[in-house]
């Protein structure tokens, strides 16, 4: 048997013609911790879903060789039976069930068929917890009484209960603080000693440097390279270069003839606390300014607090104990509700169009006009249906929404066209300040280009546009200036001439290091 | 350049009308025409008036993705309050009506407050109002029937609008009914012409002419069938007037007003509605307040039709109202459904009840049949949507 526990060779996976993975190769040695790195959307999660059978054998091309055998997994159960367990970023625990029950969720200890053996369950759960450093926990308390860090460890214990040999962790520390993260990483090193192989997906390069033995970098669905600790240059800078070293082609339309005017949007000393935990500060002393005709980016990693910032400003849709000032067109405004925000010419396009943006069973017209309706399409509460139809038709043509008619149900449109409907909805409210949160997430290249054109059009019309994006090329391609946000604080500000992915990453890393030092 | 766009009508929109007609014809054959007799058509309207009123309010609840279980009990409470005021306190019927409406409003405010501002699930809150309302009714009436009411009050549930009767065939014909039918026909044709003219003006797609004519013909036939039968009986029931006003008002509110469309937006995606500037708690609150008021109107009508207030009044009405909405094509998850659909649903239930009674089926068998029809209607609806999606 070779030294590799897992070899994935020439993996290609297409989604309706678009290659999410293109001839990807990854080889993981037995007993090592192997990191998988890449930007958002590079294909990391797709690759892991191929491995774990979420995308069944036959829907992708290429070979998976695990412990010397060719594998053809058809679902998660198949891969788990072989000892491959994946732990997703979102915890898969049932919050009100006990710790012990969660450890054996879907894998119950039974005496007879279907009858749970509680003594065995508790005893074995205790053993599993000991393996992840939680030997002092009471296995009978509901799992939601524990902190997120411990819940993450219980996920690992759950994997241990399934006799895991290859453990995959997708962004395990994203929701953890430094201390909890450190503990989790040490547990991983401990598991390594017990002979368990791990694959870790993480954005936090300092963690990868600390815990992993080798790292494979994926970019745009292709393997770039694999670096081995002690053999290759294993620094953060080296990894960043591999992650982002892409040539910029003409994916962003030029913005010409835009005059940048006065500051029309300003946020001062903005502080926000977590909605469920009044002691957890999510945003600290945020200050930012946007001028008329200017496109300003908010760069940062997922979970940096950018969406929270936008939503807390937009009618206090997020958080509690919010303090700070907002100025629009030089006037201080108090945006207590979304309606206040819309009235004061602020619009926010959510990052998650399906959950927060659209009524999927409603038609195109209805979705486009719902926000602007009280202000533009009605009189004394009675709707002017013809005005609505005219406006919806106008926007459909203007930003090229591909739909049979404005009466088509939005749920049946493609992602890109759905996004255009959301964008139309907010343009119809005629805002002066528009916050676009991940405006091109999950949409194809053509639709992306059209969204960028809309951004340019808005800037030309003298609007202030804020673009939140986790794709650094998008920030660089579309913005005049950007703020880099990390862990709820502004880590730095870059002007167009200083834009580069390395600079953004360096600001984030510097801020993280500062946070670590302050933490110690 | 003349750009003529035509698009086929969405048949599903009219599917319920077809089902209504098919069921009616089926029972006509089974009862050898008994269910199409003028007096039976009149009964159909008088017996179903309160279910139609409740179904209108219930549709708004269903649009939010919820139901109101308490309506049957509120009907009983309001009827008994009206009865006590008129019989025990010997007060004017207008005082009784006012008091009943007030009680309905208070119940609505009560339920709306718990649902919208305390976030208690509507199922639980209305289950509570259902139990409390029924208990309150028995307490108020001391488990006795209160009656008989004055004729002037009973007019609401059993009276007729003024008539001008002329001899016709083997009976009489009411010219007022015929006049109303003529007016309704003219308005219908007029609005169809206007809507098509508007569509042409804005260059929107129109339906093929033969489809428009077929639709118009079918609707005119239904109107004339009903009004002719009523004209042959005693003319137009007062309940019909109440129903038509409510249908018109709520049809307008749900399709043409900001507030009405906000209910759909809330039902379709509450989070998105919130982030679109809609105060979804306020919407919830008013939907349930409205349901309370409509329940009290139904209670007033029911008590007037019975000529008395009984503790068991309105028992199970909530289920008829909910079933009407679902049969009428409203989505169980909320966000889709129409007032007209709910009304047609209520009449489908009514025709089933009435037809089976004429056939002499027991109420037990009727329940089985109604349950089966509900299940069938919703199954067809869900499956047809799945195919499309």
């Amino acid at each position: 048997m070779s030294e590799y526990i897992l070899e994935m060779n020439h993996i290609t996976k297409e989604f309706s013609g678009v290659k999410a993975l293109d001839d990807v190769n990854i080889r993981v040695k037995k007993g090592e911790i192997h990191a998988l790195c890449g930007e958002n959307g590079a294909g990391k999660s797709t690759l892991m879903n191929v491995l774990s059978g979420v995308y069944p054998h036959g829907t992708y091309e290429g070979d998976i060789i695990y412990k010397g055998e060719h594998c053809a997994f058809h679902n998660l159960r198949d891969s788990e039976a072989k000892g491959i367990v994946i732990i997703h970023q979102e915890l898969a625990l049932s919050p009100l069930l006990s710790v012990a029950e969660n450890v054996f969720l879907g894998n119950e200890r039974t005496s007879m068929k279907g009858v749970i053996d509680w003594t065995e369950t508790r005893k074995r759960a205790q053993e599993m917890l000991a393996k992840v450093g939680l030997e002092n926990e009471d296995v009978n308390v509901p799992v939601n009484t524990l902190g997120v860090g411990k819940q993450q460890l219980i996920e690992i214990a759950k994997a241990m209960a399934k006799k895991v040999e290859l453990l995959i962790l997708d962004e395990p520390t994203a929701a953890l603080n430094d201390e909890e993260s450190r503990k989790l990483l040490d547990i991983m090193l401990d598991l390594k000693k017990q002979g368990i192989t791990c694959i870790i997906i993480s954005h936090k390069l300092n963690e990868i440097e600390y815990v992993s033995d080798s790292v494979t970098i994926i970019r745009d669905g292709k393997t770039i390279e694999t670096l081995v600790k002690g053999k290759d240059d294993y620094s953060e800078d080296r990894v960043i270069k591999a992650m982002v070293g892409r040539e910029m082609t003409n994916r962003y339309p030029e913005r010409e003839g835009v005059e940048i005017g006065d500051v029309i949007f300003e946020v001062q000393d903005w502080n926000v606390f977590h909605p469920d935990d009044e002691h957890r500060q999510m945003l600290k002393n945020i200050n930012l300014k946007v001028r008329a005709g200017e496109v300003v980016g908010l760069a940062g990693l997922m979970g940096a607090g950018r969406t929270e910032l936008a939503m807390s400003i937009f009618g206090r849709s997020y958080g509690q104990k919010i303090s700070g000032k907002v100025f629009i067109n030089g006037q201080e405004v108090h945006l207590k509700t979304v309606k206040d925000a819309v009235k004061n010419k602020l619009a926010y396009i959510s990052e998650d169009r399906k959950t927060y943006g659209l009524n999927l069973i409603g038609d195109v017209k209805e979705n486009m006009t719902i926000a602007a309706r009280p202000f533009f399409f009605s009189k004394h509460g009675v709707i002017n249906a013809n005005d609505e139809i005219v406006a919806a038709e106008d926007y459909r043509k203007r930003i090229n929404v591909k739909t049979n008619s404005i009466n088509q149900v939005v749920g049946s449109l493609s992602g890109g066209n759905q996004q255009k409907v959301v964008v139309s909805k907010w343009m119809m409210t005629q805002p002066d300040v528009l916050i676009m949160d991940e405006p091109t997430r999950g949409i194809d290249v053509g639709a992306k280009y059209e969204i960028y054109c809309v951004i340019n059009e808005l800037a030309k019309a003298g609007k202030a546009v804020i673009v939140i994006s986790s794709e650094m090329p998008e920030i660089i391609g579309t913005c005049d200036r950007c703020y880099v946000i990390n862990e709820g604080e502004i880590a730095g500000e870059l002007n167009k001439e200083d834009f580069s992915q390395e600079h953004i990453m360096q600001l984030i890393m510097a801020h993280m290091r500062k946070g670590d030092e302050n933490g110690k | 350049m003349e750009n003529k766009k035509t698009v086929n009508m969405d048949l599903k929109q009219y599917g319920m009308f077809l089902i209504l007609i098919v069921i009616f014809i089926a029972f006509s054959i089974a009862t050898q025409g008994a269910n199409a007799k003028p007096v039976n058509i009149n009964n159909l309207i008088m017996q179903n008036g309160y279910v139609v009123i409740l179904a209108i309010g219930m549709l708004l609840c269903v649009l939010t993705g919820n139901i109101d279980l308490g309506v049957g009990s509120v009907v009983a409470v309001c009827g008994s309050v009206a009865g006590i005021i008129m019989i025990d306190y010997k007060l004017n019927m207008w005082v009784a009506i006012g008091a009943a409406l007030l009680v309905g409003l208070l119940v609505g405010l009560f339920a709306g407050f718990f649902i919208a501002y305390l976030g208690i699930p509507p199922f639980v809150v209305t289950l509570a109002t259902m139990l409390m309302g029924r208990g309150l009714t028995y307490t108020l009436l001391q488990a006795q029937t209160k009656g008989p009411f004055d004729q002037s009050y009973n007019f609401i549930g059993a009276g007729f609008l003024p008539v001008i009767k002329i001899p016709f065939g083997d009976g009489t014909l009411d010219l007022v009914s015929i006049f109303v039918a003529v007016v309704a026909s003219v308005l219908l044709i007029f609005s169809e012409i206007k809507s098509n003219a508007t569509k042409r003006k804005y260059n929107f797609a129109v339906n093929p002419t033969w489809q428009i004519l077929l639709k118009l013909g079918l609707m005119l036939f239904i109107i004339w069938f009903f009004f002719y039968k009523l004209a042959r009986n005693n003319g137009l029931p007062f309940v019909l007037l109440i129903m038509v006003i409510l249908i018109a008002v709520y049809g307008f509110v749900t399709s043409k007003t900001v507030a009405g469309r906000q209910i759909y937006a809330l039902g379709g995606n509450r989070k998105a509605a919130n982030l679109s500037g809609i105060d979804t708690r306020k919407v919830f609150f008013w939907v349930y307040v409205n349901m309370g008021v409509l329940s009290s109107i139904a209670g007033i009508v029911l008590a007037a039709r019975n000529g008395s207030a009984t503790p068991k009044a309105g028992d199970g009405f909530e289920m008829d109202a909910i079933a009407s909405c679902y049969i009428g094509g409203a989505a169980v998850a909320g966000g889709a459904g129409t007032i007209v659909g709910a009304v047609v649903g209520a009449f489908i239930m009514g025709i089933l009840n009435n037809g089976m009674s004429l056939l002499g089926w027991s109420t037990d068998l009727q329940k089985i049949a109604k349950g089966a029809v509900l299940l069938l209607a919703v199954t067809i609806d869900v499956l047809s949507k799945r195919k499309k999606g």
Side-chain angles (χ1 to χ4, degrees):
Chain A
M1 213 169 100
S2 76
E3 58 175 328
Y4 296 109
I5 185 171
L6 173 74
E7 292 181 53
M8 296 178 80
N9 297 325
H10 309 294
I11 304 289
T12 297
K13 167 83 187 159
E14 289 187 9
F15 291 103
S16 47
V18 179
K19 279 186 182 167
L21 294 175
D22 187 2
D23 195 23
V24 169
N25 296 289
I26 179 171
R27 292 200 281 185
V28 180
K29 279 184 196 151
K30 191 165 169 45
E32 75 165 346
I33 297 179
H34 194 108
L36 195 56
C37 270
E39 292 188 295
N40 298 326
K44 295 164 298 187
S45 297
T46 311
L47 185 65
M48 290 304 108
N49 284 337
V50 165
L51 172 59
S52 60
V54 170
Y55 301 132
H57 179 76
T59 62
Y60 58 87
E61 289 162 35
D63 276 331
I64 300 176
I65 302 166
Y66 176 68
K67 294 204 284 186
E69 282 172 45
H70 284 268
C71 293
F73 300 134
H74 288 98
N75 51 43
L76 272 176
R77 274 193 175 273
D78 288 354
S79 60
E80 285 186 355
K82 296 270 185 186
I84 300 176
V85 178
I86 183 160
I87 298 177
H88 290 280
Q89 201 174 339
E90 301 83 29
L91 296 172
L93 298 173
S94 184
L96 296 174
L97 297 185
S98 72
V99 170
E101 210 167 354
N102 267 293
V103 169
F104 290 101
L105 201 64
N107 179 29
E108 285 80 5
R109 300 293 95 189
T110 53
S111 48
M112 289 177 289
K113 209 167 171 53
V115 179
I116 291 178
D117 181 341
W118 283 108
T119 320
E120 172 80 358
T121 300
R122 295 197 183 101
K123 203 179 96 211
R124 300 266 295 133
Q126 205 89 54
E127 290 169 30
M128 293 304 145
L129 290 187
K131 290 189 184 181
V132 297
L134 291 179
E135 53 274 10
N136 297 324
E137 290 302 325
D138 180 356
V139 295
N140 297 313
V141 298
V143 78
N144 67 352
T145 58
L146 306 180
V148 192
K150 283 183 179 166
Q151 291 191 27
Q152 189 70 264
L153 292 176
I154 286 168
E155 279 276 16
I156 298 178
K158 192 172 147 189
M160 305 291 289
K162 290 175 186 160
K163 302 198 170 54
V164 63
E165 285 179 67
L166 175 62
L167 182 64
I168 302 159
L169 297 138
D170 190 354
E171 301 265 5
T173 61
L176 305 187
N177 65 28
D178 295 331
E179 197 188 328
E180 289 168 332
S181 302
R182 189 57 176 246
K183 178 151 190 220
L184 188 131
L185 297 175
D186 287 336
I187 296 286
M188 284 180 69
L189 293 171
D190 209 40
L191 294 180
K192 187 168 116 177
K193 281 186 204 134
Q194 298 173 36
I196 293 169
T197 313
C198 284
I199 297 178
I200 177 173
I201 299 177
S202 179
H203 280 296
K204 299 186 182 172
L205 301 181
N206 53 343
E207 291 179 356
I208 286 179
E209 200 180 346
Y210 172 69
V211 78
S212 67
D213 302 299
S214 52
V215 55
T216 296
I217 294 129
I218 300 184
R219 187 206 308 156
D220 288 344
K222 294 186 179 113
T223 331
I224 300 305
E225 58 188 339
T226 297
L227 303 171
V228 179
K229 202 184 232 169
K231 208 171 103 189
D232 302 299
D233 179 1
Y234 211 70
S235 68
E236 285 179 30
D237 287 344
R238 178 72 186 79
V239 175
I240 291 174
K241 200 176 157 221
M243 268 168 69
V244 301
R246 142 174 55 190
E247 274 184 83
M248 296 280 291
T249 49
N250 188 23
R251 283 169 46 204
Y252 304 96
E254 286 291 321
R255 186 159 60 243
E256 281 164 346
V258 177
E259 287 222 355
I260 294 184
D262 297 331
V263 171
I264 60 169
F265 181 67
E266 188 171 357
V267 175
Q268 287 180 358
D269 301 321
W270 199 251
N271 287 287
V272 177
F273 289 80
H274 193 276
D276 302 326
D277 180 358
E278 59 172 332
H279 301 297
R280 190 165 156 209
Q281 190 164 7
M282 300 305 288
L283 295 162
K284 288 167 215 146
N285 293 319
I286 302 280
N287 285 286
L288 52 87
K289 288 179 187 173
V290 189
R291 293 166 186 283
E294 193 182 28
V295 181
V296 170
L298 298 184
L301 302 174
M302 276 185 194
R306 295 164 303 165
T307 297
E308 290 78 1
L309 172 63
M311 285 183 65
S312 61
I313 295 170
F314 189 64
R316 307 203 168 166
S317 304
Y318 172 88
Q320 59 171 335
K321 294 206 297 182
I322 298 170
S323 63
K325 290 178 179 174
V326 178
F327 297 86
I328 293 175
N329 292 321
Q331 297 278 315
E332 183 174 359
V333 290
H334 300 279
L335 311 175
K336 292 206 178 68
T337 64
V338 173
K339 207 169 180 178
D340 290 344
V342 178
K343 226 182 269 171
N344 283 292
K345 305 272 171 198
L346 175 66
Y348 167 67
I349 300 177
S350 155
E351 61 179 331
D352 183 346
R353 57 182 165 268
K354 286 196 170 151
T355 312
Y356 293 104
L358 293 167
N359 171 4
L360 291 171
I361 61 171
D363 63 21
V364 170
K365 173 178 71 81
E366 197 66 31
N367 272 286
M368 279 185 174
T369 56
I370 187 76
R373 187 175 274 160
F375 307 99
F376 299 105
F377 301 120
S378 64
K379 208 172 171 184
H380 309 303
V382 178
I383 296 165
N384 186 335
N386 290 332
D387 283 4
E388 287 199 349
I389 294 170
V390 171
E393 282 290 351
D394 178 35
Y395 275 88
R396 181 173 80 92
K397 284 177 198 135
R398 243 169 89 188
I399 66 173
N400 193 22
V401 184
K402 292 186 193 80
T403 162
N404 298 335
S405 83
I406 54 169
N407 298 320
Q408 193 174 347
V409 172
V410 163
S412 64
L413 301 178
S414 72
N417 286 307
Q418 288 183 355
Q419 186 67 10
K420 289 181 196 165
V421 171
V422 186
V423 171
S424 305
K425 162 166 129 179
W426 288 108
M427 284 170 76
M428 279 193 188
T429 65
Q430 307 187 3
D432 290 336
V433 183
L434 200 81
I435 307 175
M436 302 172 104
D437 196 349
E438 304 285 357
T440 64
R441 175 177 288 172
I443 67 180
D444 63 73
V445 184
K448 275 186 184 178
Y449 190 87
E450 285 169 322
I451 297 281
Y452 299 139
C453 289
V454 170
I455 293 175
N456 287 353
E457 199 187 307
L458 288 166
K460 254 182 223 164
K463 316 281 186 196
V465 183
I466 297 176
V467 175
I468 299 176
S469 178
S470 299
E471 289 181 36
M472 284 181 277
E474 186 166 280
I475 297 270
I476 294 167
T478 56
C479 297
D480 299 308
R481 189 159 59 85
C482 85
Y483 293 97
V484 178
I485 297 195
N486 188 53
E487 290 170 357
E489 289 179 292
I490 293 193
E493 188 184 339
L494 292 169
N495 285 318
K496 194 161 188 78
E497 50 277 18
D498 302 323
F499 274 177
S500 77
Q501 305 195 29
E502 280 85 356
H503 277 149
I504 294 174
M505 267 303 194
Q506 275 160 10
L507 280 173
I508 293 172
M509 294 305 158
H511 185 265
M512 275 187 183
R513 270 195 289 272
K514 210 171 83 189
D516 286 351
E517 277 156 24
N518 291 346
K520 275 168 202 164
Chain B
M1 197 183 80
E2 186 70 7
N3 186 7
K4 268 198 184 161
K5 282 189 279 186
T6 58
V7 61
N8 283 329
M9 246 176 227
D10 185 7
L11 261 185
K12 223 183 136 257
Q13 217 179 325
Y14 303 96
M16 291 168 316
F17 280 102
L18 293 176
I19 291 171
L20 182 87
I21 293 169
V22 167
I23 291 178
F24 189 82
I25 291 172
F27 275 111
S28 279
I29 295 165
T31 61
Q32 289 158 341
N35 80 332
K37 281 189 180 146
V39 65
N40 192 55
I41 297 292
N42 184 66
N43 283 344
L44 210 53
I45 288 169
M46 285 197 170
Q47 283 166 356
N48 289 295
Y50 23 88
V51 176
V52 169
I53 295 168
L54 292 174
I56 289 170
M58 190 64 75
L59 181 82
L60 306 190
C61 300
V62 169
L63 284 178
T64 69
N66 294 288
I67 51 174
D68 188 333
L69 291 171
V71 296
S73 297
V74 181
V75 163
V77 174
C78 294
S80 61
V81 166
I84 287 167
I85 287 176
M86 285 188 293
I87 302 291
D88 295 354
Y89 293 90
K90 312 241 179 295
L91 287 170
N92 186 305
M93 67 175 264
W94 296 108
V95 179
I97 291 171
L101 287 173
L102 185 70
V103 169
L105 177 70
L106 288 175
V107 175
L109 290 169
F110 178 81
F113 173 74
F114 276 89
I115 291 165
Y117 293 102
L118 298 183
I120 313 295
F123 192 91
V124 176
V125 174
T126 61
L127 185 61
T129 57
M130 171 175 150
L131 294 169
M132 289 155 77
R134 188 60 61 189
L136 194 62
T137 309
Y138 273 86
T139 315
L140 285 174
L141 294 177
Q142 291 158 335
Q144 302 289 314
T145 297
K146 195 129 300 203
F149 297 155
D150 204 54
Q151 271 309 309
S152 60
Y153 179 82
N154 290 349
F155 176 81
I156 299 169
F160 292 91
L161 295 175
V163 290
I164 305 167
K165 281 188 182 172
I166 56 161
F168 185 83
D170 53 354
T172 57
L173 187 75
D174 167 36
L175 291 181
V176 175
S177 305
I178 299 297
F179 175 72
V180 172
V182 171
V183 172
S185 310
V186 170
L187 284 178
L188 185 71
I189 295 169
F190 216 74
S191 77
E192 189 65 38
I193 291 171
K194 190 163 168 259
S195 120
N196 276 300
T198 319
K199 280 181 184 169
R200 289 225 168 76
K201 187 174 143 205
Y202 288 94
N203 203 18
F204 301 152
V206 291
N207 301 126
T209 315
W210 69 269
Q211 287 183 359
I212 295 172
L213 289 177
L214 188 69
K215 183 182 92 176
L216 264 181
L218 202 63
M219 289 177 79
L220 287 176
F221 173 76
I222 293 176
I223 288 175
W224 278 96
F225 179 79
F226 264 84
F227 278 91
Y228 171 71
K229 294 287 182 183
L230 292 174
R232 292 302 304 270
N233 190 45
N234 273 332
L236 304 176
F238 184 69
V239 178
L240 184 65
L241 182 68
I242 299 179
M243 274 164 51
V244 168
I245 291 172
L246 288 176
I247 292 168
V249 168
Y250 282 87
F252 177 78
V253 168
T254 53
S255 61
K256 298 263 162 51
T257 66
V258 174
R261 300 312 294 177
Q262 287 186 343
I263 307 174
Y264 286 83
L266 160 67
N269 185 344
R270 186 174 185 180
K271 287 173 181 165
N274 259 326
L275 278 182
S276 302
I278 295 170
D279 186 343
T280 53
R281 282 190 301 185
K282 210 165 106 188
V283 176
F284 255 120
F285 181 72
W286 287 112
V287 162
Y288 278 90
V289 170
N290 174 69
M291 186 75 252
V293 173
L294 284 181
S295 302
S296 70
I297 294 177
I300 292 165
V301 171
L302 179 67
R305 173 155 171 84
N306 291 340
S308 62
T310 63
K312 278 193 83 66
D315 193 23
F317 278 16
E318 59 277 354
M319 294 306 161
D320 282 348
I322 294 165
S324 301
C325 294
Y326 293 153
I327 291 175
V332 178
T338 60
I339 292 289
V340 173
V343 171
V344 172
F347 272 108
I348 288 176
M349 297 278 288
I351 289 170
L352 279 172
N353 277 335
N354 174 272
M356 289 187 294
S357 299
L358 288 177
L359 287 173
W361 291 15
S362 70
T363 49
D364 312 334
L365 277 178
Q366 291 186 23
K367 279 187 182 154
I368 296 174
K370 272 155 68 180
V373 168
L374 171 68
L375 187 62
L376 192 71
V378 177
T379 306
I380 290 171
D381 189 46
V382 168
L383 290 183
S384 71
K385 272 180 198 149
R386 196 175 296 162
K387 225 182 251 170
K388 244 197 277 176

